Structure formats: C-alpha cells, structure tokens
Amino acid sequence: MKEVKTPKKPLAIYYTIVLLLILLLNVVLVPWMNERQIKEVDYGTFMSMTEEKNIGKVDIESNQIIFTDKDNTQVYKTGLMDDSGLTERLYTAGAEFSSEIVEQGSPVLSFLIWFVLPIILFTALGNYMNKKLMDKMGGPNSMMFGGMGKSNAKVYVQSTEGIHFSDVAGEDEAKENLQEIVDYLHDPSKYKDIGAQMPKGILLVGPPGTGKTMLAKAVAGESNVPFFSMSGSEFVEMFVGMGASKVRDLFKQAKEKAPCIVFIDEIDAIGQKRNSGQYGGNDEREQTLNQLLTEMDGFEGNNGVIILAATNRPESLDPALTRPGRFDRRVPVELPDLKGREEILKVHAKKVALAPGVDFSVVARMASGASGAELANIVNEAALRAVRAGRKSVTQADLEESIEVVIAGYQKKNSILTDKEKCIVAYHEIGHALVAAKQTHSAPVQKITIIPRTSGALGYTMQVEEGNHYLMDKTELENKIATLTGGRAAEEVVFGSITTGASNDIEQATKLARAMLTRYGMSDDFDMVALETVNNQYLGGDTSLACSAQTQREIDQKVVALVKAQHQKAIQILTDNREKLDELAKYLYQKETITGDEFMEILDSPQ
Ligand code: ADP
Ligand code: ZN
C-alpha cells in the first residue's frame, strides 16, 4: 500500500511559479506597456509629422515634448530643442495643446496591475494547487492557505503492495479479532440482514512497537478499503477549536469514502481523562475530544466507517471514550512470546541475505522481552554488522551481537579499565553466574562478558530462559534476587571491599523484592492485600503505594530483610565455591567473553 504523504514540494514550486510570474511582469510587461504608451522618436520625425499635420495632442514640457499622432493611437516623445517657430507651426498643423497626454497608464490601471493582479494571481494559483493536491490526496490539505483547520489525514492509496495479516507475525489473537472487521467490510449486508451492529471503534492496546499500526494497516489491506491515518498529537493545535475542526473534517472525508478505516494513533494525546473542576485544563484538547465523541455518536454503526485507535496508555483514557457505542472493543497487542519472536525475526530476516545455519529459536530466546520493532531493529543491526565486517551475509554471531547492542549498547573499543578494575568486574560477573548456576530454578547462563559497553555497563551476564515463562513462584523470585546480589557478594568475598558497580543490580533487586510484597502477596503479614497499584502497565510500569504510612514503614523493613537474606545466601554460595569462583574469574579475565557452555564445563570439571 502506498502512502501519499503530505507533500512538502508543492509549496516550493508554488513560490517559484509566483516569483517567475512577477519577474515576467517586470521584465516583459512593463517595458512592453511603456513602449506601447510612449515611443521615443528623434526631433526630425517630430518635425516631419508636424509638417504632415499628423499631430493630435501635444504637450511641451521643460525638457521634452510629448505628442500623439492624429488619431491619438500612439504617444510619442522627443527631446526639446531650441526651435523658435514651433508653437506656430503646431497650431497650423492643427495640434491640440494638452498637458494630460501621458497618463503613464491611468492610476487606476497601474493600481490594478501592481496590486490587484498579483493578489489575484497568488490566490488563483494557490487555490488551483490546493485543489490539485486535494484530488491527489483525496482530501484537503492544511498546508496551503484556505486549508487551515482541515485535517492532515493521509490516505493510503489502495494498491497491490498492501500490508496483509501475513506480514504481521505472531499476534494471532489480535488478528483473529480483527478478521471479523475485515469480513464485515467485505460484505456489510450479511451483518445488516441479521441486525448485527459492528463496533464503531476498536482500541488496540499494547506496549510500543508491537505492531498496532501494522495491524490497522493490514485490516485496510485485507479488506481493500481506503485507510485514513492520523496521530492523536496531530489534532492538538495551537488555536482552540482547530483540533475539533480537524476531527470534523476527517470524519467528513471518511464518510465520503466509506467503507473505510480511520486509524488514530496515540489516541491518549486527545483522549486523556478530562479533569473536571480544575483550572488551567487544556481547552483545546477537551474540545477535540468532545468533537470526536460527537462524531462517533453521530454516525450509524453500519455505515462502513470503522475507527481503529492505538494507545499504550489505556488506563489514562477518558471513560467516555471506552463506553459502549464508542471504543467498546479492546484488542490487546502484547509483547511477542518465544514463538512470536521467532516468527517476527523470520519475517524481517527475509529482507536480508542470511548465511546458512542461522538458528532463529536461539536468537528469539536471547531476545526475551523484545518488541516487534526491536526485533526488526536487531535484524537490521546484524545486517549492518555484516556489512561492516565486509561479509556478504548475516550470520548467527551477527544476530547475537546485535541483541547485545540493542540491550547494552555498542562495545567500547578503547577500554579504559585498569587491570585491577577488570579483575573486579570479572569476579563480579562470575559471582552472578555462579550464584545462578548453584541454585535451582535459575535460567541457564548464556554468555558472560567483561567488555565495556556504551551504555555504561562494564560487563554482564546473560541468562536465557529455556521456553516461555508465564508464572514465577516465590522460590524463583528469591533466587533471582540472590543472583542479582551475587556480583556484589563476590566483591565482598574476594576483595573484602565493595564498589559502585552494583548499582543496577541493587535497583532491580529492590524492585523485585518490593513487588513480591506489595503486588504478588508473597508475605505472611500482608496476605493478599494489594499495597501498590501499577500506573502504567505498558510503559515502564511505575507504581504508586496504596497504603498507610505505618504500612509503608513495615514494607520498607521487610524489603530490606528480604534482600539481606538473599544477599547472605549468595555470599554463602560463593564462599562454599571459592575455588571455582577463582578459576572461572581468571578464565573470564583472560578471555573477556565466555559462553554458557564454557562456563558450565569449568564449573562441572572436577577440581
Ligand atoms: P506500534 O504501532 O505498536 O508502536 P508499529 O506497528 O509501528 O508498532 O511497528 C513498528 C515496526 O515494528 C513495524 O514497522 C515492523 O517493522 C515491526 N513490527 C512490530 N510488530 C511486528 C510484528 N508482529 N510482525 C512483524 N513486524 C513487526
Ligand atoms: Zn552486577
């Protein structure tokens, strides 16, 4: 499907044309008009014309004579000469003395030419181009004057290269859900006959980059209908009322083109909860939202306009938007699971040259938690890496390295670590890995590296789950906290001092411990009481406490106790395996990057 974007070019072309016209006016028209008005002749011609009595009007000025021929068809001028009998001769020639021969074009005419004509030209040309653009885009365009407040809705012109459901990997539930819409758009009568109402609006909710936009386009592609797409933020304008008028305009266009799909991305930009009774609210946004609600109420469910909207902040939407008759159907578009990740990788890998023997399931497992957009990025990064290395195809190693780039940033080539620091980092990372390996229910270690990254990480231990993981039990969570404290624990066990290198570990361990107490109900004292609410499910997942100050203090104490216990456990594990710790750290120090297999081999080898 080809998207006709709001063209930037016509404006430039428009200005160029106007400029050229003005130039033309100056260079050609002005001299031409002057020439037509006044023709300069030499004195001899004037004299012979006088003799032939071919003079109409005449005006003798201080330094020139302006005159016309007998029929007043042409104005001439000539320089004034010392000519004594001139006046007399002119009389006899029947000339009429007049001081108003040269109108220099009448003032009205020059006003028309210099002020009115350009304006007419500008407007006419502007309108013409505006109209042409409208025809091309299937709608008015706000770029030209006269188009203010019109929507910028882009129309995806129907063509064979449309996006289809097959282009969207994974997300089977979402596709199934949307298939009904496609079916309806193919044959609305089937639904009308039985009296079934299609939902007017469908809300696609999910984290960023999971393919919501793609799915909306695919619905249009599958059902062969026009696709209007606009982002919520595009409605919010500087002037109050403009957004509302854009909404009006968008729906007007959509109704003309029905059946069609209207897609509003980031609907939270206009659909946020209206805060009642508060001063300083955003009037413009509220008006826009009200207009949207009015439009949605205004049309019948069966008129063939289906509105899809996407958001990653569903909890912030105004309830008026999500009530029945508006966006009453909600389609979750979640992060892909293992199988989904593998499929998405394969879809995007079709665009690059692959070396034989690439195992996507391994890559997919390593990229746990990645969104579709991130996976697309990983494949592209891998291709770029292959080009940098001068290879013709993308290898498994490229893909694995690019995951690390996406997770941790690029390798810092000129490492500035001192030997001592490198040694500490090696122990720290082995500390994580060893604690993980010595506990049950820990994801296997995939890779350990102490090459610094641009993200600031000095090294990291990559653990990869074997399969999908939907539930975690209490022991697993505790073990995870222990693993996170393992780095610091190794520093303590080996060097007896601690460094700043554990800041990220500390943050994660604390978050986990808190969540166990406040959200997962994993403590005896609080039982199954929610002490925290998640504010934003899809973006970062920040939380706010929902309990008394007294309880907060208790939670804090329990969090500390929980982390402390796991930290002690980690220290114990490392002390018990001190020889292995030394051996592995030394090995990592020398090699800088080791695989999980190498790690396990050394770990399992007899002392
Ligand atoms: P969203 O609208 O949810 O933020 P997009 O639809 O804009 O995400 O997806 C961004 C890009 O990520 C797409 O252009 C596509 O390349 C890739 N992508 C995301 N999800 C998928 C998927 N399920 N299958 C294939 N590609 C995907
Ligand atoms: Zn660490």
Side-chain angles (χ1 to χ4, degrees):
M1 207 175 286
K2 214 166 67 212
E3 177 185 349
V4 179
K5 281 240 172 69
T6 308
K8 286 261 162 354
K9 259 199 196 143
L11 205 60
I13 296 174
Y14 171 69
Y15 281 130
T16 319
I17 293 178
V18 168
L19 249 163
L20 280 175
L21 274 174
I22 290 176
L23 259 169
L24 199 79
L25 221 69
N26 270 300
V27 175
V28 181
L29 196 61
V30 171
W32 175 73
M33 271 176 37
N34 282 346
E35 197 155 311
R36 209 185 63 103
Q37 275 170 8
I38 307 175
K39 193 170 173 185
E40 192 155 6
V41 292
D42 56 28
Y43 202 75
T45 316
F46 170 59
M47 288 213 298
S48 56
M49 278 174 77
T50 316
E51 232 124 88
E52 289 159 20
K53 301 201 168 156
N54 185 18
I55 299 271
K57 292 178 183 171
V58 67
D59 173 24
I60 303 174
E61 291 183 348
S62 57
N63 58 351
Q64 60 178 0
I65 303 170
I66 297 168
F67 60 98
T68 63
D69 57 8
K70 201 162 186 163
D71 310 321
N72 279 330
T73 48
Q74 172 75 54
V75 182
Y76 300 90
K77 82 175 177 194
T78 183
L80 184 62
M81 293 249 179
D82 197 9
D83 187 344
S84 46
L86 176 65
T87 334
E88 218 142 285
R89 264 183 287 137
L90 281 170
Y91 261 127
T92 39
E96 175 193 338
F97 285 89
S98 157
S99 61
E100 277 170 2
I101 302 174
V102 188
E103 297 140 32
Q104 197 58 289
S106 75
V108 179
L109 189 68
S110 60
F111 172 76
L112 280 178
I113 288 174
W114 294 117
F115 292 94
V116 180
L117 189 69
I119 292 175
I120 292 175
L121 265 176
F122 261 101
T123 321
L125 202 73
N127 275 348
Y128 169 72
M129 296 198 51
N130 213 356
K131 211 163 151 197
K132 235 176 99 170
L133 265 176
M134 270 177 5
D135 291 347
K136 206 155 124 192
M137 304 183 37
N141 175 278
S142 72
M143 216 174 48
M144 297 293 179
F145 44 73
M148 293 251 263
K150 300 273 177 71
S151 73
N152 267 325
K154 297 169 221 153
V155 179
Y156 285 82
V157 174
Q158 191 52 61
S159 75
T160 42
E161 47 187 334
I163 296 182
H164 291 275
F165 278 147
S166 54
D167 297 315
V168 187
E171 307 297 351
D172 293 331
E173 296 82 10
K175 281 194 260 184
E176 209 169 281
N177 216 319
L178 294 170
Q179 184 59 46
E180 194 182 8
I181 306 294
V182 175
D183 193 44
Y184 165 75
L185 287 170
H186 271 308
D187 185 11
S189 59
K190 196 163 79 185
Y191 289 78
K192 268 183 207 151
D193 290 348
I194 212 165
Q197 289 271 332
M198 255 299 123
K200 289 181 192 172
I202 293 158
L203 199 59
L204 303 167
V205 296
T210 44
K212 297 184 288 295
T213 311
M214 263 189 118
L215 276 167
K217 285 184 192 171
V219 173
E222 291 279 340
S223 23
N224 255 345
V225 297
F227 182 68
F228 291 85
S229 151
M230 209 149 156
S231 168
S233 53
E234 283 176 69
F235 286 111
V236 183
E237 289 277 341
M238 192 156 43
F239 304 109
V240 174
M242 291 264 282
S245 101
K246 276 188 171 182
V247 171
R248 227 179 350 255
D249 191 62
L250 174 66
F251 278 87
K252 194 168 145 255
Q253 286 182 52
K255 275 178 224 164
E256 281 163 12
K257 288 250 170 9
C260 67
I261 304 264
V262 172
F263 177 59
I264 304 175
D265 205 358
E266 299 168 45
I267 193 163
D268 42 285
I270 44 169
Q272 257 174 44
K273 285 193 183 81
R274 290 168 287 191
N275 31 12
S276 52
Q278 229 178 57
Y279 290 106
N282 190 336
D283 268 354
E284 158 64 359
R285 222 199 38 193
E286 277 181 25
Q287 279 200 18
T288 311
L289 176 57
N290 285 337
Q291 187 62 40
L292 181 63
L293 298 178
T294 313
E295 291 289 348
M296 290 193 75
D297 290 341
F299 65 76
E300 293 301 310
N302 277 340
N303 75 349
V305 180
I306 300 273
I307 308 166
L308 297 179
T311 179
N312 38 40
R313 314 185 49 193
E315 68 287 327
S316 77
L317 289 184
D318 197 296
L321 255 184
T322 46
R323 67 149 225 233
R326 288 161 181 171
F327 289 101
D328 44 8
R329 190 178 286 190
R330 185 185 278 235
V331 176
V333 187
E334 299 286 349
L335 285 174
D337 59 8
L338 182 59
K339 187 165 146 282
R341 289 200 297 275
E342 193 173 334
E343 282 170 16
I344 295 174
L345 282 170
K346 280 181 183 160
V347 164
H348 287 280
K350 276 191 203 134
K351 298 172 202 154
V352 301
L354 275 187
V358 172
D359 186 350
F360 284 109
S361 69
V362 172
V363 183
R365 228 179 297 137
M366 284 173 75
S368 97
S371 68
E374 279 167 329
L375 291 168
N377 190 17
I378 283 169
V379 172
N380 191 49
E381 273 291 336
L384 289 176
R385 198 179 113 98
V387 173
R388 272 199 296 275
R391 271 180 278 108
K392 290 259 178 279
S393 56
V394 175
T395 64
Q396 179 85 15
D398 287 331
L399 285 162
E400 289 182 12
E401 168 64 21
S402 76
I403 288 177
E404 289 174 52
V405 167
V406 172
I407 294 172
Y410 287 96
Q411 291 184 359
K412 264 195 207 160
K413 279 280 148 40
N414 309 319
S415 157
I416 28 94
L417 289 191
T418 63
D419 269 355
K420 169 84 177 166
E421 281 169 333
K422 204 172 138 188
C423 189
I424 293 174
V425 177
Y427 268 106
H428 180 107
E429 295 309 330
I430 293 296
H432 285 306
L434 200 54
V435 172
K438 286 290 172 190
Q439 291 176 127
T440 51
H441 305 301
S442 284
V445 173
Q446 169 86 17
K447 181 175 179 173
I448 311 168
T449 168
I450 53 168
I451 299 173
R453 296 273 164 173
T454 45
S455 67
L458 297 177
Y460 60 85
T461 305
M462 184 190 264
Q463 283 175 275
V464 172
E465 301 281 357
E466 302 257 74
N468 276 323
H469 225 77
Y470 298 109
L471 280 176
M472 284 185 104
D473 63 29
K474 194 175 168 188
T475 322
E476 280 173 276
L477 286 169
E478 283 173 350
N479 287 354
K480 214 167 169 179
I481 295 175
T483 305
L484 285 166
T485 61
R488 165 64 67 84
E491 294 177 34
E492 286 168 294
V493 169
V494 177
F495 302 101
S497 68
I498 51 181
T499 66
T500 54
S503 61
N504 187 35
D505 302 334
I506 290 170
E507 201 181 314
Q508 285 192 47
T510 313
K511 248 193 199 155
L512 259 181
R514 272 201 103 76
M516 281 176 70
L517 293 170
T518 60
R519 281 163 52 200
Y520 305 142
M522 286 180 176
S523 70
D524 300 332
D525 300 296
F526 301 127
D527 204 62
M528 285 183 62
V529 173
L531 304 170
E532 243 179 15
T533 48
V534 180
N535 296 332
N536 206 324
Q537 188 185 353
Y538 294 122
L539 300 172
D542 52 331
T543 53
S544 47
L545 279 170
C547 57
S548 69
Q550 166 70 24
T551 317
Q552 274 183 36
R553 203 161 7 199
E554 275 177 53
I555 295 172
D556 288 340
Q557 283 164 1
K558 282 190 199 305
V559 168
V560 174
L562 180 55
V563 174
K564 215 170 188 166
Q566 297 310 314
H567 188 175
Q568 286 308 321
K569 188 168 95 188
I571 290 180
Q572 193 57 51
I573 291 174
L574 294 178
T575 317
D576 293 346
N577 296 279
R578 180 61 202 265
E579 281 126 42
K580 285 290 175 201
L581 176 63
D582 288 336
E583 192 184 350
L584 284 160
K586 195 167 159 224
Y587 187 69
L588 178 62
Y589 178 86
Q590 282 160 355
K591 293 204 52 173
E592 296 197 336
T593 300
I594 62 175
T595 64
D597 292 338
E598 285 174 295
F599 172 80
M600 289 313 291
E601 206 171 296
I602 296 176
L603 187 61
D604 292 339
S605 67
Q607 210 73 54

